[in-house]
Amino acid sequence: IYLAYLGLRTCEAYSHRGREADGLAKRFALMAGAAILATLLNPYGFRFQLWLVDDLIVPRPEIVEWRSPNFLELQTLPFLLVLVAWVACLTLSRKSVDFTQQVILGLIVWQALLHQRHIAFVAIAFGWWMPIHVQSVLERFGIGQRFQTDEERLFGWAPPEDQSFTASLPLRMQQILAVVLMFAIGVGGGQLVYRLGGLKVERSQYPADAFYYIGQQGLTGRMVCTFNWAQYALAAFGPKQPGGPGILVQIDGRCRTSYSQEMLDMHFDFLLGRDDPSLRYRDPASGPLDPARSLHAGRPDLVLISRKQKPSVRVMEENADTWTLLYQDELAQLWGRKSKYDDPQSAYYLDPKHRVVGNFAPRGYVAWPALPDYRPLRPEDLAARAAKSPPASETP
């Protein structure tokens, strides 16, 4: 956006002033060059740019905000209204249109149509540049005509052309609009107070209950964790020191920042399977699609999945001969490797009476960061647990 702004303003300067704009163009070029060189101030130098290009040319439909907006969904309605207002302003406004502003707004709209995460930038640019045109359109339809004040009648004073206007609506309509506005402010203020009162981690959306179970049972090792929850798992159970007790996850939300495309393909083979190829990108070089490959690579000990992701649930049920269900609620399933948790001779054996398997629906919320009381067991404790079950107080 910055480079487009400088380039377009340079074109405008030459179209109005010809060669007299050379000095301004040189200054803009120096500003653009400084901005580009500033991106090299990173630990990787120009290799960071090469990585960034390589990362961005790969589609990422697995992540919802990188998909195109679906105009049949209600949540896309505000974006659609902004687009309609933008077209109406360009068509009906009597104000002069700033070429650079509208081209940049068009570029941002183009990006928002490709990736819905950019819709926020459309709203920012529209709110910064278009209100004057919105006012012009309203005036064209007779909304917002000014009343002449007593001072203007007495002294003949006229306000600047772009000054805000009082709507020339019937008194009853003004009263209704005032009530609606106050109601909207009240709702917005209430939501703000609610949010500032504490960040709530909804238990119906995040596996806080499953995490509590993991923490109370002191489970450790390597985990395959559904993509959406993996960084939550790292925060809750990640080793505090290299080689220390805790849980390591196979893949998390850093994507290609930390993992190869082959590893990501393996993970999404497990989560999404063959159900809908359009929901993901898969590199042909990653080999044949194998939904169960994640269960073997690196020999994980635990698998935490969302029951809403049906392909991964099917994979676990198909591999029930080597995996056992340790925890289940309406939202989440936690599976453990049978050779580790079903064998009474194993130090990690988990007595069936201390497993929680049901279809109960988690309700309420946990205050952010929603980290469980987690105390990984020492090796001597793990050995003792094989002979003696944990006390009932450790059971959620």
Side-chain angles (χ1 to χ4, degrees):
I1 292 174
Y2 181 64
L3 295 180
Y5 187 88
L6 294 177
L8 290 166
R9 289 300 189 206
T10 300
C11 293
E12 288 181 349
Y14 274 115
S15 68
H16 287 89
R17 299 165 54 187
R19 294 304 301 272
E20 294 181 4
D22 284 350
L24 181 62
K26 290 178 181 178
R27 289 195 293 274
F28 283 174
L30 288 173
M31 293 165 66
I36 294 173
L37 290 175
T39 66
L40 298 176
L41 300 178
N42 67 80
Y44 308 99
F46 71 91
R47 288 179 299 166
F48 174 75
Q49 275 79 353
L50 296 178
W51 172 84
L52 191 61
V53 171
D54 183 64
D55 183 59
L56 292 178
I57 60 177
V58 178
R60 51 185 85 190
E62 306 91 351
I63 303 176
V64 173
E65 61 181 8
W66 280 102
R67 298 178 194 169
S68 299
N70 183 355
F71 287 99
L72 299 179
E73 295 180 348
L74 185 61
Q75 64 184 11
T76 314
L77 180 60
F79 178 44
L80 182 60
L81 293 176
V82 170
L83 293 182
V84 171
W86 182 46
V87 174
C89 288
L90 293 179
T91 306
L92 302 174
S93 175
R94 292 191 176 102
K95 302 291 184 181
S96 60
V97 174
D98 187 300
F99 172 76
T100 293
Q101 293 176 0
Q102 299 310 312
V103 171
I104 291 179
L105 188 52
L107 292 173
I108 302 174
V109 168
W110 165 53
Q111 287 296 301
L113 293 174
L114 293 177
H115 312 295
Q116 56 184 294
R117 67 180 294 152
H118 294 111
I119 292 176
F121 295 104
V122 177
I124 292 171
F126 186 90
W128 188 256
W129 287 331
M130 299 305 295
I132 186 174
H133 299 289
V134 172
Q135 181 65 46
S136 177
V137 173
L138 293 177
E139 290 177 3
R140 189 165 184 174
F141 287 96
I143 302 174
Q145 297 293 331
R146 274 188 82 257
F147 292 114
Q148 192 177 33
T149 65
D150 293 336
E151 290 81 0
E152 291 168 10
R153 286 195 298 269
L154 291 173
F155 304 107
W157 175 81
E161 183 182 356
D162 60 350
Q163 181 169 318
S164 298
F165 295 98
T166 302
S168 58
L169 296 174
L171 179 60
R172 177 63 62 183
M173 183 61 68
Q174 292 186 38
Q175 292 172 341
I176 293 175
L177 289 177
V179 172
V180 171
L181 179 60
M182 294 303 297
F183 176 76
I185 292 174
V187 171
Q191 287 291 323
L192 182 61
V193 172
Y194 175 78
R195 290 297 182 92
L196 293 178
L199 294 175
K200 297 175 174 59
V201 179
E202 298 293 339
R203 297 165 64 192
S204 61
Q205 300 178 33
Y206 296 94
D209 287 11
F211 277 27
Y212 177 81
Y213 176 81
I214 293 172
Q216 291 299 299
Q217 298 301 329
L219 304 182
T220 60
R222 300 180 178 186
M223 175 188 283
V224 175
C225 182
T226 185
F227 182 83
N228 306 49
W229 300 338
Q231 287 178 300
Y232 181 17
L234 279 177
F237 308 119
K240 304 307 178 186
Q241 299 293 334
I247 292 177
L248 301 176
V249 300
Q250 191 179 75
I251 294 290
D252 66 74
R254 288 171 291 180
C255 287
R256 284 179 289 272
T257 306
S258 299
Y259 305 102
S260 68
Q261 185 61 45
E262 181 181 1
M263 295 178 69
L264 292 169
D265 287 340
M266 175 184 69
H267 185 70
F268 285 108
D269 285 350
F270 171 67
L271 290 186
L272 304 178
R274 299 180 173 88
D275 282 14
D276 190 349
S278 66
L279 294 180
R280 58 172 301 196
Y281 167 81
R282 194 176 192 282
D283 191 339
S286 297
L289 192 152
D290 181 5
R293 184 181 171 192
S294 283
L295 303 181
H296 310 295
R299 193 170 173 78
D301 309 295
L302 299 163
V303 177
L304 178 65
I305 58 175
S306 168
R307 297 182 71 183
K308 297 178 181 180
Q309 294 173 323
K310 300 301 182 182
S312 57
V313 175
R314 289 198 299 267
V315 172
M316 296 309 302
E317 292 173 347
E318 292 168 358
N319 288 270
D321 56 330
T322 55
W323 293 88
T324 183
L325 198 55
L326 304 179
Y327 175 92
Q328 174 181 282
D329 58 28
E330 188 180 73
L331 175 66
Q333 284 183 343
L334 176 68
W335 295 75
R337 189 174 291 278
K338 275 192 172 184
S339 61
K340 185 172 182 177
Y341 295 103
D342 266 2
D343 182 4
Q345 303 303 316
S346 169
Y348 297 90
Y349 172 68
L350 190 60
D351 194 303
K353 69 181 180 181
H354 294 295
R355 303 181 187 187
V356 179
V357 179
N359 292 308
F360 54 93
R363 292 289 182 263
Y365 68 89
V366 183
W368 184 89
L371 302 180
D373 182 16
Y374 183 53
R375 298 183 181 89
L377 300 181
R378 298 170 298 177
E380 54 268 29
D381 297 328
L382 293 171
R385 192 169 68 173
K388 182 180 179 180
S389 299
S393 61
E394 290 189 9
T395 304

